Amino acid sequence: MTRPGTSGKSGPTMHHVAAAAGVSQATVSLVLNDVGGARVSEETRRRVHQAAKELGYRTNAHAKVLREGVAEMIGFVGDHVATAPFAGKIIEGAQARAWEAGMLLLTVNTGGDRGLEAASLEAMLSHKVAGVVYASMYHRKVDVPDVLGELPAVVLNAQDRSGAFASIAPSEVLGGYTATRTLIRAGHRRIGFINIGAVEDGLPAVVGRLEGYRKALAEAGIAYDGGLHLAGDGDEAGGYRRTLELMAGDRPPTAIFCGNDRTAWGA
């Protein structure tokens, strides 16, 4: 069944909305496209929006892209973000913020496949996205594709190695400091630390959390004991093995700071 005044093929047009609201098509365009500085009364705006709602009119997003050169979409490209139980919250946050700005989030999970990543970015640019969020499952230094220099882009949960793009990442030092300080305030002096990798690898989370751990110990007057700091694997099995090693020593720790949740589960 078609709506009154429409063809039933392409749906209602601005012409139909203008006729229903008793205004010109130009006025409908100004109102529905929210053109700044347009001298249109609030009563006229109300009539136009009401007519559009009753007729079921939808703005032509493709035409708007052609006119303005940018789509009301934000691209989101991640390696394993969509499949990680905790990192999925990153997508939820990005989606909520995009929606607040009246935009949709176009998401691609690449699984670390560089070919898929390149293809997805080219597709997003061809769809004229307003910007791109380039995300990582865990905090590390990344080489951002040069093509992202063509539009606004931000690196999330990682650091751009070149420094050309704005990067938003956790404060690893503060995290390690806060966790260790919490255990110290609970009365512990021998605090083990199972990291999520080897310091030599240079992973920001590994280096930063160790720095925070040592800083909290130093402030409390506790000497750093290298025997209480072990390089884990960031998973449950590693947390289990390293905990057994710590507890088998002559002076086992009374508390353990684990570098991530999975390590803590194993511990």
Side-chain angles (χ1 to χ4, degrees):
M1 184 174 70
T2 61
R3 294 183 178 87
T6 68
S7 66
K9 294 181 179 180
S10 59
T13 66
M14 280 193 181
H15 173 76
H16 297 122
V17 176
V23 298
S24 69
Q25 188 170 323
T27 298
V28 172
S29 179
L30 290 173
V31 172
L32 297 184
N33 289 305
D34 197 22
V35 177
R39 295 182 178 180
V40 181
S41 70
E42 287 303 315
E43 171 58 23
T44 298
R45 290 180 183 276
R46 186 195 65 76
R47 292 207 317 272
V48 170
H49 283 297
Q50 183 64 29
K53 181 178 180 181
E54 291 178 353
L55 291 173
Y57 173 81
R58 295 187 181 91
T59 56
N60 188 327
H62 179 63
K64 190 171 184 179
V65 171
L66 293 176
R67 182 173 62 253
E68 299 181 1
V70 64
E72 293 182 337
M73 292 190 295
I74 297 293
F76 185 103
V77 178
D79 47 11
H80 300 277
V81 173
T83 56
F86 301 109
K89 292 292 184 181
I90 294 176
I91 295 179
E92 291 184 10
Q95 178 176 282
R97 184 62 187 88
W99 189 253
E100 287 176 6
M103 295 190 175
L104 296 176
L105 192 70
L106 180 59
T107 306
V108 175
N109 190 76
T110 67
D113 185 326
R114 279 292 187 176
L116 176 58
E117 176 182 279
S120 64
L121 288 174
E122 286 295 336
M124 288 180 179
L125 264 64
S126 70
H127 280 80
K128 304 296 184 182
V129 294
V132 171
V133 177
Y134 188 79
S136 173
M137 180 181 70
Y138 62 92
H139 186 186
R140 58 193 174 95
K141 292 184 178 180
V142 296
D143 296 308
V144 181
D146 293 337
V147 70
L148 285 182
E150 298 180 19
L151 76 172
V154 63
V155 177
L156 181 62
N157 202 38
Q159 297 177 36
D160 168 34
R161 199 185 308 276
S162 70
F165 296 88
S167 300
I168 300 174
S171 174
E172 306 293 0
V173 176
L174 180 60
Y177 174 84
T178 303
T180 308
R181 185 65 178 164
T182 299
L183 295 175
I184 292 173
R185 286 176 173 171
H188 297 282
R189 303 287 292 180
R190 285 189 61 75
I191 301 171
F193 176 28
I194 304 176
N195 215 326
I196 58 174
V199 176
E200 295 75 23
D201 294 338
L203 193 67
V206 173
V207 176
R209 292 172 196 180
L210 174 59
E211 182 182 339
Y213 167 75
R214 298 191 65 162
K215 178 182 178 182
L217 293 177
E219 284 188 1
I222 303 173
Y224 170 73
D225 183 346
L228 292 177
H229 169 220
L230 301 180
D233 305 307
D235 57 21
E236 295 90 334
Y240 180 79
R241 289 194 305 271
R242 294 309 191 195
T243 299
L244 291 180
E245 291 179 35
L246 287 173
M247 301 312 293
D250 294 334
R251 297 181 60 210
T254 61
I256 300 175
F257 161 37
C258 296
N260 67 1
D261 293 304
R262 289 184 294 171
T263 297
W265 295 339

